[in-house]
Amino acid sequence: KAGVTQTPRYLIKTRGQQVTLSCSPISGHRSVSWYQQTPGQGLQFLFEYFSETQRNKGNFPGRFSGRQFSNSRSEMNVSTLELGDSALYLCASSSTSGRATDTQYFGPGTRLTVL
Amino acid sequence: GQQVMQIPQYQHVQEGEDFTTYCNSSTTLSNIQWYKQRPGGHPVFLIQLVKSGEVKKQKRLTFQFGEAKKNSSLHITATQTTDVGTYFCAGGAQKLVFGQGTRLTINP
């Protein structure tokens, strides 16, 4: 079974621009979660989608948004980029939604650099 | 909101020494999961503990879940350079919450 894939792997943007990141979950997985990872903050939960609906949301500003398509693929969008948005953005899929017992399968991440 | 605290944040050991990281929650957890992230990589699932007082072993790694299901530990015996990375615990009552991670570096 193919793992979680994320595109692009690396991205350089300038302040004020917007960016869209893509995630394809493991086949059959319907839940996709997004995390932001920075050296000082660990893994910060952004949001989770299940069957095209946002089920859980972390504590991030409205500039961070996402969506999920009928094939379970998910996209994350960040508008009006700030320097502090530079991070590794990780996508994780699981077979069910929102349960604390779900194992998360992570993709390789998208490294975003904001200049 | 629910928080999972993990200590220490960093640990540097000599190869062959033991290593332990601890995970604590103020609320009862339905389960605890452990992940490892190698430098430059992404978190990879190691194990899940569900029962109170549960202990599981994977070769040199020993995982424990506290009796009250509020804490957990990961112990590595006789570390090797391949153990380098950041170890995350994750747990929750309703949804999974990740700890801040313990970054392990090893002097060969």
Side-chain angles (χ1 to χ4, degrees):
Chain A
K1 220 182 223 186
V4 177
T5 58
Q6 290 186 248
T7 56
R9 293 292 312 277
Y10 302 92
L11 208 47
I12 299 176
K13 292 285 188 180
T14 55
R15 282 189 307 171
Q17 287 187 310
Q18 74 158 20
V19 67
T20 299
L21 313 181
S22 181
C23 171
S24 292
I26 290 172
S27 177
H29 283 192
R30 296 165 64 189
S31 170
V32 173
S33 296
W34 288 90
Y35 297 85
Q36 181 194 66
Q37 187 173 37
T38 54
Q41 297 297 318
L43 279 169
Q44 301 291 308
F45 172 74
L46 281 153
F47 29 65
E48 186 219 355
Y49 286 87
F50 181 83
S51 293
E52 303 178 65
T53 302
Q54 188 180 90
R55 291 297 183 97
N56 289 297
K57 190 176 188 304
N59 203 21
F60 277 80
R63 300 185 297 107
F64 292 82
S65 63
R67 59 177 176 168
Q68 187 180 34
F69 302 95
S70 57
N71 61 357
S72 294
R73 190 177 70 85
S74 178
E75 286 182 349
M76 189 193 103
N77 186 77
V78 188
S79 63
T80 321
L81 283 165
E82 300 177 359
L83 295 178
D85 296 333
S86 294
L88 179 66
Y89 290 88
L90 291 159
C91 158
S93 76
S94 64
S95 56
T96 53
S97 167
R99 296 187 314 180
T101 51
D102 296 339
T103 298
Q104 301 281 294
Y105 296 88
F106 285 86
T110 294
R111 172 77 59 187
L112 172 65
T113 302
V114 182
L115 302 176
Chain B
Q2 185 177 353
Q3 284 192 319
V4 174
M5 307 303 293
Q6 196 173 348
I7 57 169
Q9 192 173 359
Y10 303 97
Q11 184 79 59
H12 180 77
V13 301
Q14 289 288 129
E15 188 174 16
E17 290 183 338
D18 291 357
F19 160 77
T20 305
T21 173
Y22 301 90
C23 190
N24 293 286
S25 170
S26 57
T27 58
T28 303
L29 305 170
S30 61
N31 79 126
I32 194 83
Q33 300 178 27
W34 286 92
Y35 293 76
K36 176 184 178 181
Q37 183 175 21
R38 293 181 186 274
H42 57 275
V44 174
F45 173 76
L46 292 177
I47 206 160
Q48 180 183 56
L49 305 172
V50 179
K51 299 176 185 175
S52 168
E54 190 170 11
V55 178
K56 287 188 177 180
K57 292 191 176 185
Q58 287 180 349
K59 297 182 181 177
R60 295 176 294 101
L61 277 62
T62 301
F63 304 85
Q64 291 189 315
F65 200 11
E67 293 289 342
K69 300 182 77 173
K70 289 184 176 182
N71 57 75
S72 180
S73 65
L74 158 59
H75 179 81
I76 302 178
T77 304
T79 54
Q80 299 175 359
T81 54
T82 53
D83 296 325
V84 163
T86 301
Y87 293 85
F88 291 95
C89 64
Q94 283 83 42
K95 67 172 192 166
L96 203 59
V97 176
F98 279 83
Q100 293 293 89
T102 296
R103 184 179 170 194
L104 173 64
T105 54
I106 298 174
N107 206 21

